[in-house]
Every structure is written in C-alpha cells, then in structure tokens.
Amino acid sequence: FPVMYLPILTYHRLLSGKPTTDVDPKRISVSQGQFRRHLTWLRRLGYQSLPLPDYVRDLRAGRPIPARRVAITFDDGYEEVLTLGLPVLQDMGFSATVFAVPGQLGGTNAWDDGGARLLTADQLKILDRAGITIGAHTCRHVHLTEAGGETARQEIVDSKRTLETLLGHPVTLLAYPYGESNDESEAIAKGAGFAAAFATDRAPRDHSQNLYRLRRPVVFPRNTLWE
C-alpha cells in the first residue's frame, strides 16, 4: 500500500524583520520576507495548499492525496499570523491552519519568554472568517505527557469547547504543545471528538498509521528554501 503523507509545515511566529536572539530567543520565528519566499518557491514548484480538514477527510476515507499538495500550519496563535501572515497567504493563494491556545487569547506566550503577543478572541474570529482553519493547542500550552490524568483531559477537552463557543462551529483538529503526545493524550483527543491530532517529527511518516499522531516538520529560521 502507498504511504499516505502530506507535507505539513509548522510555523510559529512571523517577524517583520530578521529574526535575532533578542526578539526570538528560542529561534522558532521566520521573517515575513522568508515566509513569502517559502510560499513563492512552493508555488513555482507547482504546489497548492490542501486544507487540513480536507486532508483528514481523505485520510479517513482512504483516498489518495493529489500530487504537489502541502499544508501550512501556525502553532500558538501569535498576532503576527494575522498582521503579517494572512496578507502573504492571500497574495499567494494558500490556505492555513492556526492552532490557538484559548486560555491565553489576548495574552502572551507565558509558557515561553512571555514576550510575544497572542491573537485576541476578535482577531481569531477575523482569521476564521477569512477562511483560515482554527484548531486547538490545549488551553494553556502544557506538556501533556508530563501533566497526564485529569489535567491533560481538561486541557484538551476544554480547549475544544472554548474555541467552539467562541467561533460558533465545530473545531475538529488538535496540535499537541511541544509536538509531544502519548497513548493517553491521543485517547483523550479521540474521545473529545477531534477528528485528528498533530505531533511534530516524533511521529510515523505514514499518516494512515495513527490519525492522532500525525507528523509535521517544523520550519526554523535556519532552514534554506531547498530544505
């Protein structure tokens, strides 16, 4: 059987200028210019974006994935996704998914250095209305594999419920903070009603093996266009 795999690129913050250790100590940001170059390169190679809900639907149905498709995702829900990312996505004709942390909307990335602003509830609604898929990233961006038990259950279940109340429609996708999952968190995600959940590179390359541990490569500022 063919391997079922869609390249799902994982971004975090976008910056107006070049990422430096002063503004990006964790080195997980790319500039708006880099992001535009990435999408320009993909488009020149003939790639089109495939919305993640469509991909998950096809995975569940066992349908083959069209050639030259890619998915763009943003973890954490930084405000630059709206101010810097959305204009580029719209210019280039790409869709994307934002995995938001609903317990921190309008706040900062408290789980990290606390220096980056997160989308407000109203800004998240703007992205939703613009056709960006909104997924959950737990309520407070916790290490699910360390929290476990009732804490993990609440973080996953409440993030879905909170976003659905805010947006007024189902939220079917979950991304695990830090890309970490285990059997317990995957079972909770499935039981909560998520159609699929996403890890990072510690996951099978064949997406059909486990819809609750779907592999995504992370894009870092050091990555070249060819990578």
Side-chain angles (χ1 to χ4, degrees), residues 8 52-53 55-57 59-60 99 135-136 156 160 171-176 186 189-190 193-199 207 210-214:
I8 304 172
L52 279 186
Y55 177 55
V56 170
R57 180 198 62 210
L59 266 180
R60 288 186 168 275
F99 290 107
I156 292 172
K160 188 177 195 297
V171 171
T172 62
L173 305 178
L174 170 74
Y176 304 110
E186 290 162 23
K190 184 176 182 179
F194 285 104
F198 299 81
H207 284 166
N210 186 351
L211 270 69
Y212 292 90
R213 192 182 295 185
L214 294 175

Side-chain angles (χ1 to χ4, degrees), residues 69-92:
R69 294 295 188 274
V70 65
I72 309 295
T73 66
F74 291 92
D75 280 8
D76 304 338
Y78 294 101
E79 68 176 3
E80 294 99 342
V81 177
L82 174 63
T83 59
L84 301 178
L86 183 61
V88 176
L89 290 165
Q90 291 176 330
D91 285 349
M92 304 298 293

